[in-house]
Amino acid sequence: MGEFWKRAACALGFAGLIYASGASSPAAADDDAYKIPLKLFGEFEIAGGLASCHYALWQHNRDPGADKYAYLFYMPFDSDGAPQPARVEVGKNVLALDELLRDGEWIAGMAKNSLYATRDRETRVHIEVLEAEDVGNHTRIDRATVYVVQSGKIPFQARARGTFGCAGLSAGDEESAAAPAPPTVPAGGWAGPAGIPFGAPRMLADMSEVPAALRQTMRDYASDDCDVDGSFAWAGARYVVNENYLLWEVPCTMGAYQGSSVFGVTQNPARDWAELLTLPNPPGLEGQQNYAAMSADVLPGQGIIKMTALSRGAGDCGVHQVHRLTDGPGEVLEFELLEYRDKYDCDGNATAPENWPLAYQSY
């Protein structure tokens, strides 16, 4: 059993994944009572239509632009690039599924295997992406298999094609799509001034996808902060800022309870120029240029990077900073420090870093 299936078995229970080994159901294949009546659905059935950025799969021999019913699976992303509940239709029921896990193998910027399930775990969907290509703002999925499993029924399998990301948008459109529309601040969001919004993250398959110019810049300027050639659990992410710039998040260090990233900018598409973004210190706090963003929390739709450097694993003290992406002099991008909070007293009271004592605020 592969690593993905070991993790999936833990998530759902091994019995729910018995189809992966090719075991057959005791039910007769022609007995409708044991079949899963998976239904195709159309864009017109999705409230509000397709989100600007989404993950969608349609039956391999259907065209969602021409066929009224084509979709097998649909999952929208919100303005910060976070996945929302996915949708499938089984019989007369529209089911909402949560993403449970992805495997560590990547193809064209997305996980090769992903697993979804309803809250009661009665319906599980495994998606295996077999052929895909990164075509800019999205990944075009040329060949995939969708497996639908329900307790006591014959697993349903369908061949599919699809898209993952912000298909059909130009970089400028994606920037606009990433901007938050609602005036209220979502949980984990930011209520202060916003920065330049950027697109949803495209996860990198491995460090070889980080542009050579950016990696060299890291060696030149951040080698004291970062293990540039180290091995990390993830390879980083890429964000489309606009038609001119890409923002890159690259792993820097990993410790026992926290890790750091650096952020850099390249041309769009990346070529021979790269620049690391420094993290400004508050006035009066002298020190060398800092590139390492500890435990970075990226809010693409607001153009915000939040970071928290814990002083110890208990999480009861440390420094919390909020930066925004802005236009700097000479048509470059840079970070602007908005808030700096510092909790010196490691008192055993692990409060939210956003509530630590405020040492500096720029607005």
Side-chain angles (χ1 to χ4, degrees), residues 190 249 258-263 277-281 290-299 304-310 318-325 335-342 353-354 356:
W190 168 248
E249 180 181 4
Q258 60 187 352
S260 67
S261 305
V262 295
F263 290 85
L277 300 183
T278 59
L279 305 173
N281 290 314
N290 182 30
Y291 297 101
M294 193 67 72
S295 302
D297 181 12
V298 182
L299 306 179
I304 294 294
I305 313 291
K306 300 161 69 175
M307 56 203 73
T308 304
L310 299 177
V319 171
H320 178 73
Q321 303 177 60
V322 180
H323 292 78
R324 68 173 174 176
L325 188 67
F335 282 144
E336 176 190 353
L337 178 63
L338 297 176
E339 274 193 10
Y340 187 95
R341 295 177 178 270
D342 197 341
E354 293 84 357
W356 288 351

Side-chain angles (χ1 to χ4, degrees), residues 112-257:
K112 182 176 181 180
N113 287 283
S114 52
L115 185 66
Y116 305 82
T118 52
R119 295 287 175 88
D120 59 10
R121 301 298 192 263
E122 284 298 311
T123 301
R124 290 88 72 191
V125 176
H126 163 220
I127 297 173
E128 182 180 16
V129 178
L130 301 169
E131 295 179 8
E133 182 179 353
D134 186 342
V135 291
N137 292 342
H138 72 286
T139 296
R140 187 187 68 236
I141 302 168
D142 297 315
R143 189 163 67 95
T145 305
V146 179
Y147 304 90
V148 182
V149 180
Q150 288 186 332
S151 301
K153 295 192 176 183
I154 302 169
F156 185 98
Q157 178 179 330
R159 290 184 292 164
R161 296 181 294 127
T163 184
F164 179 96
C166 303
L169 298 183
S170 66
D173 291 335
E174 185 178 353
E175 179 186 6
S176 298
T184 57
V185 179
W190 168 248
I196 298 173
F198 43 90
R202 175 70 56 81
M203 299 302 173
L204 306 183
D206 56 60
M207 291 290 285
S208 67
E209 293 191 39
V210 178
L214 181 55
R215 297 198 65 174
Q216 186 58 51
T217 303
M218 290 176 62
R219 291 189 180 93
D220 293 342
Y221 296 100
S223 57
D224 291 340
D225 292 332
C226 296
D227 183 5
V228 179
D229 297 305
S231 178
F232 299 94
W234 74 300
R238 186 198 74 188
Y239 308 83
V240 175
V241 179
N242 52 39
E243 62 184 6
N244 298 314
Y245 294 113
L246 296 172
L247 177 67
W248 301 80
E249 180 181 4
V250 184
C252 176
T253 60
M254 178 55 67
Y257 53 86

Side-chain angles (χ1 to χ4, degrees), residues 22 84 97 111 199 299:
Q84 301 302 294
L97 306 105
L299 306 179

Side-chain angles (χ1 to χ4, degrees), residues 307-318:
M307 56 203 73
T308 304
L310 299 177
S311 298
R312 64 179 189 173
D316 57 347
C317 52

